[in-house]
Amino acid sequence: MCGKWVSRPKTGPGRRLALLLLLLAFGPAVWPTSAVTQEVQQVPAPGDALYEVSLVDGSTLFARITAVDGDRIVLTTVGGTRVEVTRGQIREIQPADGSVVQGEFWVADPNVSRLFFTSTGRSLRQGEGYVGTYLIVLPFVAVGVTDRFTLAAGAPVLTGELEPFYLAPKLQLVRASSAAVSVGTLVFFFNDENVGIAYGVGTFGNRDRAFTAGLGWGYSGTDFTREPLALLGGETRVSRRVKLLTENYVLPEAVGVIFSGGLRFIGTRFATDVAVAGIATGDDAGCCVPLVNFSYTFGRRR
């Protein structure tokens, strides 16, 4: 395998993807951090806003700032507990990303820009991203280049080289409190050939409960399929750490239906998807194929 890498031209697709993955995964680490530094040094004024307060001992509080008196800061957690800390005990303060449900803080799902595999109408915010694996052997990375443009890439690891690899740019056209619409493409590169899907997708609802629908046209080179692939998906949060997901495809030319359903376990940075999938074509049906995905969110949150 090493011999193949050495013999490849420096501009080969494998090397280009490796550089892209490094830039996407580690680029945010060297992006400007003045905004974050400012938040660490300055404590916001008391008010009703909810903050995620990270302490130097590694603990995290979701609380409102009740009072600021010199070096002393008084916090009130979502459960009503009063906590006093000093400025030196605070590592970082940033707006909390989530919601309070029956006196409990539910951290936002860090992967709302996708279901199990496919994109939703939502986009990552600039500087945010995640790395992970689909089905253990398909690593991927995605990053918000701007608040409306997301770029993802990935490649299988079983082939001994970074081919075939894929790129998945997505542009968000509509962003509202209860609707998001995007267009994009998923393109796989095989040596000198490329095949993919150009699509449009919309997500309707909030980050805890939403419906996603989309249409996609497959292509090879410049040749497109005449009939689209249809996507129907949904998500609903059932507890602080668990969300139900479903992702289903109606294949073109009445070939059949691919269906899947399962759970997403949500952490502050980590998320794990566990699901099963099957296919129904004509009089035949097959089930169930296990699906397991892992992801880790990185970058700035605003």
Side-chain angles (χ1 to χ4, degrees):
M1 181 178 72
C2 294
K4 292 182 180 179
W5 275 99
V6 172
S7 62
R8 287 180 178 270
K10 291 185 178 180
T11 58
R15 184 175 293 274
R16 287 199 300 268
L17 177 63
L19 292 174
L20 176 62
L21 291 176
L22 287 173
L23 287 173
L24 290 179
F26 299 105
V30 297
W31 289 352
T33 57
S34 58
V36 176
T37 302
Q38 185 179 17
E39 289 180 355
V40 173
Q41 294 176 344
Q42 297 184 2
V43 176
D48 294 330
L50 189 64
Y51 292 92
E52 179 181 343
V53 183
S54 301
L55 304 181
V56 294
D57 64 2
S59 59
T60 300
L61 300 174
F62 294 97
R64 294 175 176 84
I65 298 174
T66 305
V68 178
D69 182 12
D71 192 53
R72 185 178 67 95
I73 295 95
V74 180
L75 307 172
T76 302
T77 68
V78 293
T81 302
R82 187 175 183 271
V83 180
E84 291 189 15
V85 297
T86 64
R87 291 180 184 270
Q89 292 177 289
I90 298 175
R91 180 173 60 84
E92 183 178 9
I93 297 179
Q94 60 183 344
D97 192 9
S99 58
V100 178
V101 180
Q102 296 180 348
E104 185 179 44
F105 184 77
W106 289 12
V107 64
D109 180 357
N111 288 265
V112 293
S113 63
R114 67 177 177 90
L115 294 174
F116 292 126
F117 298 101
T118 196
S119 292
T120 65
R122 309 180 184 106
S123 63
L124 293 171
R125 290 171 289 189
Q126 184 178 19
E128 293 182 336
Y130 49 80
V131 293
T133 61
Y134 294 131
L135 305 174
I136 309 299
V137 297
L138 299 173
F140 64 90
V141 58
V143 68
V145 180
T146 71
D147 283 350
R148 290 183 179 267
F149 181 68
T150 298
L151 181 61
V157 298
L158 295 181
T159 60
E161 54 188 60
L162 292 173
E163 290 182 3
F165 69 91
Y166 76 82
L167 294 177
K170 180 174 69 174
L171 177 65
Q172 189 179 64
L173 303 179
V174 176
R175 176 187 295 167
S177 59
S178 60
V181 178
S182 297
V183 295
T185 184
L186 170 65
V187 55
F188 288 87
F189 296 88
F190 299 86
N191 296 322
D192 295 329
E193 300 180 2
N194 61 82
V195 298
I197 297 176
Y199 66 87
V201 61
T203 298
F204 309 94
N206 57 43
R207 300 208 295 186
D208 290 335
R209 185 172 291 105
F211 171 76
T212 294
L215 293 175
W217 285 262
Y219 62 86
S220 176
T222 58
D223 297 327
F224 282 78
T225 58
R226 300 180 62 181
E227 294 188 20
L229 170 80
L231 161 70
L232 297 173
E235 56 195 289
T236 182
R237 191 85 168 255
V238 295
S239 72
R240 180 169 177 253
R241 296 296 186 188
V242 179
K243 175 183 280 189
L244 302 180
L245 295 176
T246 182
E247 182 177 327
N248 311 281
Y249 300 91
V250 180
L251 304 177
E253 300 179 1
V255 171
V257 175
I258 298 175
F259 55 89
S260 66
L263 307 174
R264 171 169 294 162
F265 298 96
I266 300 168
T268 303
R269 292 285 185 179
F270 286 96
T272 301
D273 301 334
V274 179
V276 293
I279 185 170
T281 58
D283 297 330
D284 298 326
C287 185
C288 295
V289 177
L291 306 176
V292 180
N293 305 327
F294 301 98
S295 67
Y296 173 79
T297 302
F298 60 84
R300 299 193 301 271
R301 289 179 293 175
R302 308 189 260 109

